[in-house]
Amino acid sequence: IQSSNGDVTITNDGATILKQMAVLHPVARMLVELSKAQDVEAGDGTTTVVVIAGSLLNASQNLLEKGIHPTTISDSFQKAAVKATEVLTEMSTPVTLDDRESLLKSATTSLNSKVVSQYSSQLAPLSVDAVLKVIDPATATNVDLRDIKVVKKLGGTVEDTELVEGLVLDQKASHLAGGVTRVEKAKIGLIQFCISPPKTDMENQVIVSDYSQMDRILREERQYILNICKKIKKSGCNVVLIQKSILRDAVNEMALHFLAKMKILVVQDIERNDVEFISRALACRPIASLDHFLPEHLGSAALVEEIPMGASRIVKITGAVSTAKSVSVCVRGSNKLVLEEADRSI
């Protein structure tokens, strides 16, 4: 499918195809919504639903032509639906969550109709394990898919897709002034304040007339940043995740230099909407001001390291001490189209 802005999508997924097609007719719109609902609820059978609905509508048109009232038809549909549910429930085989074999079979089946079906022997176990890791198979009835983070990385093939027990961050660690890229026994702080010189709320200009004043400004700035870095170090923190800031630089070069000297690994530009997931996965609290930078707000992990992945790098956090279970899936693909399709299929 080629969309209006020239993007190309290669897919075999009914819901995706219907989403991309700009349908205008209200009934057609309802069919698109139907396939979306099926995609959310069951994740498979999106095309089937539309085909069945189409045939049912076709059949009801014949009935209408015979002069049967629409209300009668829709009532009969309701009765038939109840009966169909009964029949299906009778012939179905219940699946328990500790029966990994049958879960694998169903995952493989739903991957068979996708473009990436030749990789189903690998993607199916991966998906099943990802879900089983974030729930307690004995008691769970449903799974919160937000506990599974899917990161897409260009490069490699779909076979390189891996499941990471822990957290994968799309951003890379700071390399400025020889910044560290690997920390064992990490204490992780997730900060939402800026490590850079303070700025006024309004636009302003400071006019400096002689060198000694300029010197003083720079000295103060250094002192201010050093003070923040020292407080971070004092709390025992050795990995800092910095949330993206729109108003000013979340962290400037001087701060990165100081943090590198203190052997603290820095990951910047954490997206706002990832903050909740990260704090759940690492059992840490987002820290909004310097005064709250206390050891009890930090998360801990066995290892934080930056690894090259494809053309870029990612930061991998493993062995996190946290009660909330969360895993990350790192999807790989040789080009954008395959990568997106693999992501959708998973």
Side-chain angles (χ1 to χ4, degrees):
I1 306 168
Q2 187 171 13
S3 61
S4 51
N5 56 3
D7 280 350
V8 177
T9 309
I10 297 179
T11 180
N12 201 356
D13 178 35
T16 314
I17 296 175
L18 290 173
K19 225 181 287 174
Q20 300 277 353
M21 283 174 12
V23 283
L24 297 174
H25 193 287
V27 180
R29 275 310 235 317
M30 278 172 76
L31 288 179
V32 174
E33 291 300 321
L34 174 71
S35 79
K36 272 192 203 165
Q38 173 72 8
D39 194 35
V40 170
E41 195 52 54
D44 196 30
T46 45
T47 326
T48 320
V49 172
V50 179
V51 173
I52 292 177
S55 337
L56 290 175
L57 288 174
N58 207 355
S60 32
Q61 193 179 357
N62 295 339
L63 295 173
L64 283 173
E65 281 164 5
K66 287 181 184 163
I68 299 173
H69 196 277
T71 322
T72 320
I73 299 179
S74 70
D75 283 350
S76 324
F77 266 144
Q78 291 290 345
K79 282 179 189 157
V82 173
K83 188 69 191 158
T85 320
E86 272 175 35
V87 176
L88 282 173
T89 319
E90 271 168 35
M91 60 191 273
S92 65
T93 330
V95 174
T96 54
L97 285 175
D98 41 17
D99 179 8
R100 189 160 171 273
E101 270 312 295
S102 51
L103 290 177
L104 276 180
K105 280 179 190 158
S106 24
T108 315
T109 308
S110 63
L111 279 170
N112 275 343
S113 61
K114 305 278 184 280
V115 179
V116 288
S117 59
Q118 72 259 39
Y119 301 114
S120 58
S121 60
Q122 191 189 0
L123 295 181
L126 188 137
S127 313
V128 172
D129 291 342
V131 171
L132 289 180
K133 281 203 171 76
V134 296
I135 56 172
D136 178 10
T139 55
T141 52
N142 207 338
V143 57
D144 184 359
L145 290 180
R146 285 176 309 194
D147 287 341
I148 303 173
K149 186 177 182 200
V150 181
V151 178
K152 294 184 290 197
K153 270 289 175 216
L154 207 55
T157 58
V158 180
E159 289 168 357
D160 297 337
T161 301
E162 57 172 341
L163 179 67
V164 178
E165 277 195 63
L167 191 60
V168 171
L169 298 175
D170 223 352
Q171 296 82 355
K172 43 181 195 270
S174 145
H175 287 264
L176 196 92
V180 263
T181 54
R182 179 190 163 96
V183 174
E184 290 181 13
K185 296 203 184 78
K187 286 265 178 265
I188 305 163
L190 175 61
I191 63 174
Q192 295 182 312
F193 57 87
C194 300
I195 315 182
S196 56
K199 242 185 183 173
T200 49
D201 293 341
M202 298 171 291
E203 272 298 309
N204 70 334
Q205 275 182 321
V206 180
I207 296 169
V208 182
S209 50
D210 65 11
Y211 282 125
S212 58
Q213 287 175 319
M214 210 157 117
D215 219 29
R216 221 172 90 207
I217 293 175
L218 289 171
R219 262 214 314 278
E220 278 295 316
E221 186 182 317
R222 278 196 60 153
Q223 201 45 53
Y224 175 81
I225 289 177
L226 191 57
N227 188 24
I228 296 180
C229 295
K230 277 182 174 161
K231 273 203 173 158
I232 292 177
K233 183 72 182 159
K234 194 177 153 198
S235 68
C237 166
N238 52 14
V239 175
V240 179
L241 311 179
I242 303 176
Q243 186 183 313
K244 224 179 201 163
S245 166
I246 338 166
L247 302 174
R248 53 186 183 143
D249 297 337
V251 57
N252 66 0
E253 294 202 341
M254 193 187 292
L256 288 175
H257 169 81
F258 286 145
L259 291 168
K261 284 274 179 288
M262 294 172 175
K263 296 274 182 283
I264 294 177
L265 187 147
V266 181
V267 182
Q268 26 183 344
D269 293 343
I270 299 285
E271 292 291 343
R272 181 93 186 240
N273 42 15
D274 286 345
V275 167
E276 189 194 346
F277 177 81
I278 293 173
S279 52
R280 251 208 335 262
L282 300 176
C284 65
R285 284 171 64 178
I287 302 165
S289 80
L290 196 58
D291 307 333
H292 295 152
F293 209 104
L294 305 166
E296 59 264 29
H297 292 178
L298 302 178
S300 52
L303 178 65
V304 177
E305 64 176 335
E306 182 192 65
I307 47 178
M309 171 127 340
S312 60
R313 298 169 159 267
I314 58 168
V315 174
K316 204 164 158 184
I317 303 177
T318 44
V321 187
S322 124
T323 45
K325 298 175 179 173
S326 62
V327 292
S328 302
V329 177
C330 202
V331 186
R332 308 294 302 282
S334 46
N335 60 37
K336 193 163 156 255
L337 307 173
V338 173
L339 183 66
E340 306 228 311
E341 177 60 11
D343 176 43
R344 275 193 296 271
S345 307
I346 287 183

